Amino acid sequence: MDSKWSQSDLEELKSRDALRGINNDISLSVYCTRLIGGDPHLVLHGGGNASVKTVQKDLFGNEVEVLCIKGSGWDMGEILPAGLPPVKLAPLRRLKSLESLSDEEMVSYVRSNLLDSASPTPSVETLSHAFLPHKFINHSHASAILSITNQPNGEDLCREIFGSTMGIVPYIMPGFGLAKNVSEVFEENPEVGGLILLNHGIFTFSDDAETSYRHMIDAISTVENRMGNGNKHVFVPATIPPKLQSLSSVAPIIRGVCISQDERLGKGTNASQNKLILEFRSSDQILEFVNGKEVDRYSQGGVATPDHVIRTKNWPLVLPFPEATGNGDFRKRTEQLTKEFQHRYNSYFQRQVDSRKLQKTKLDSTPRVVLVPGHGLFGIGRDRKEAMISADIAESFVQTITNAESIGEYKTLGEADVFDVEYWSLEQSKLSNASTQPLLGNVVAITGGGGTIGTAIANEFNKLGAQIALLDLNFPEEDHRFLQLECDVTEQASVKSAFETICEHYGGLDIVVSNAGAMHLGSMESVSDETLRESFEINFFAHQTVMQYAVEVMKLQNVGGNLLFNVSKQAVNPGVDAGPYGLPKAATLALMRQYALETGKYGIRANAVNADRIQSGLLTKEMISTRAQARGLDEAEYLAGNILGKEVTAEDVARAFTQLALSESTVANVTTVDGGNIAAALR
Ligand code: ZN
C-alpha cells in the first residue's frame, strides 16, 4: 500500500484553515482523517477514526488541553473541523483509575466534557485515544490486518510478522475495557508505532502526523508482502453449469423471496408498503469467491470485524448456480435456503438471549448479503444507500477471506462476541431511524421520464421514498437521484433492455407509470393512414409493450405490483380534430381494464389517470395558444377552462399517480385531473 501523503495538498488545506482561525493541529488531523477515510481498503462506513491532542481556549480565555476526535455521523473521507469535536482531556484521563464503567456512563461523561455541548457525540473509541499519550492517533479496520488476525493462530502470526514494532491487543468490544487494554499493552512496550487489535483493526500513533499515518501504511504493506502475489488462485472452483439464468431474471426472484419472507413487511402483495433494494457487485475476485467448491464453508465463518454485523448480519445467504434449465428450481431453492437462513438467525438470537438471560428485541432475519455463484453478490437494504453499504462491506469481506485463505484458514470470533455488538445499544444507534416513508424500497419506472409530467411524477414518488428509473429518448439534464435510461418505448428491444437494466440496478420493479405519449392531430376524414398508425404506435402499442415487460418482472418477484397508465380525457370525451390522439388513448383505457382483469390474480393492480389541459411536453405553449385563439380566449383562460376555474399543474397529475399507487384496494379506476369537466366525467 502506497502512502498518499502530499505535502502540497496539506499546505493548501492549512492555509485555507488558517484564514478561518483553525489551528494547525486540527488541519493536520483533518488531513490524516480524510486520507485514511478516503481509502476503502482501510475504512468502510464508520469503521475507523482519528484524533489529535491540542490546546483550545475556553470562555474565560484559559488554555485547555483537549482531544479532538471524530464525532459519530461524520464520514472520515469528508471530515471537516466540526467533525472532530474537542473534549477536555484531563477529565477523560482521570477515568483510567476506575475499575469499570458502563457504556452509557462513558458516553454521558464524554459528552459532558465537550467544549461545545452541541457537538456530535465523540466516537465510542474516544477513551482508547485519550489513554494513549501521542498527539496524533489513527485507527482503521483495514481488511489486510483482519486477514491475518482472523486465523486460528492469528496472534502468533501477528507477532511473527510485526516482531516488536507493534503491540498486540486481544479482542474485546470497544468501550472502557478496550481502552484500558490498549493503554496497558502500549505501556508494556512504549517503543511500538502502533497496536494490532485482534479481530478488530489497527491503531497507529506518533507525535508527528505524517509518522503516525506512515506507521499505518507500513503495517499494511508488511502484511500485503507476507500475503505474496495476488495472482494465485485461492479457491478450488466448482463446476459451472453450461448455461445460467440471466442476472436480470435472477435478481427479481431473490428480491421477491426476501420481500415476501421479511417479517417487518407483513403479508400480502400491496405496493404501498416498504420493500427492499438490491445492489449487485461482481469482479474477478468476487467470482472466484462465489464460484468456489467450498463456498459454503469459507463464506460462513462470520464477519471480518463485529462492527460489520449491523450492516451484513454475521453470514451471507449462499444460493446455488441459477441453471437456465432448472424449471423453477432456482426459485424453490432460494425460498428454501432463505427460510433456513432465517431459522438459523432466529436460533442464534434465541440461544444468546436464553443462555445469558438477556432482554433484547430481535432484529429482522432477512439476509443482507446474497452470494450467487456464476454471477456475483447482492447487498440488500431497505433503501439504496443501505443496499450499497451492505454491498461495500460484502466486497471487503470477500477480500479479507480470500487473503486469509491464501495464507491459512479464515477463522473469526464466536457468536457471543458478534451478538454483543449486533445488539449493543451504541451500535444500533448508528443505523438510521426506521423511515416512515410509505414507498421506501419500492422501484418505480416512468416512461416519458424526461418531460414535464414525467419529471413531476418522479419527484412525487421520490418524496415517498421510492427509487426511480426514468425512460425517455433523451433527457434535458442529468439528475443523479434517478436512473436515466435512453429508451424508445415503441421498440420492443429497447424496452426489454431498459427493464433488464432496472432489474440489474435495483433488483426488480414494483410500479410502472406508462406516461410517454405524443399528440397527433387531424380530422378523421383527411388524416393519413400513416399519421394514425404512428399515433397508435406511441399512444397504444408502446403502453402494451411496457406493461408486458413490467408484468414479466413482477411475476418473477411474485409480490404484486402497480400498473399506471397516463390516458387522456380524449379517451372518453373526444375533441374536434383530436381523433388521431384520442382513438389510441381510448384503446389504452380499454387496455388498462384488460390488465386489471387479467393480472389481479398476481396482486398486480392496474389504474389510469385522465388529465386535461396541462402545459407539458404534449401540450406545448404554441398548441395552447392556437387552441385558446380558436375559442377566443387568452392562454390562461383556456388552461383554466374547467369547473374550478383554475389551471391544473403537472404536480397535480403526479399526485394522482402516487395516490393510485397507495390505494391498496383500487383497481381499474380512472382518476380525472382536469379541474372538473362534466363531459369527460366517467359514469
Ligand atoms: Zn474500531
Side-chain angles (χ1 to χ4, degrees), residues 46-49 123-125 129 139-141 174 178 197 200-203 305 307 430:
N49 41 57
S123 158
V124 293
E125 280 155 345
H129 291 254
H139 170 51
S140 80
H141 298 171
L178 173 63
L197 276 57
H200 177 164
I202 177 172
F203 272 90
T305 177
D307 186 44
K430 275 192 198 170

Side-chain angles (χ1 to χ4, degrees), residues 411-477:
K411 187 173 184 303
T412 183
L413 298 165
E415 67 174 28
D417 284 318
V418 173
F419 184 90
D420 284 340
V421 174
E422 188 172 11
Y423 284 87
W424 186 25
S425 53
L426 303 185
E427 198 71 9
Q428 291 294 324
S429 66
K430 275 192 198 170
L431 297 172
S432 53
N433 292 330
S435 164
T436 49
Q437 286 177 296
L439 293 177
L440 193 72
N442 279 256
V443 179
V444 186
I446 302 163
T447 72
T452 315
I453 292 182
T455 306
I457 297 169
N459 286 331
E460 286 301 316
F461 276 105
N462 184 48
K463 279 186 210 161
L464 301 181
Q467 298 295 332
I468 289 146
L470 302 176
L471 282 59
D472 213 324
L473 289 171
N474 49 57
F475 296 90
E477 57 192 28

Side-chain angles (χ1 to χ4, degrees), residues 26 29 50-54 56 66-70 81 84-87:
I26 305 277
S29 190
S51 72
V52 59
K53 297 181 182 77
T54 184
Q56 291 204 350
V66 292
L67 172 77
C68 296
I69 176 148
K70 197 191 81 110
L84 298 170
V87 197

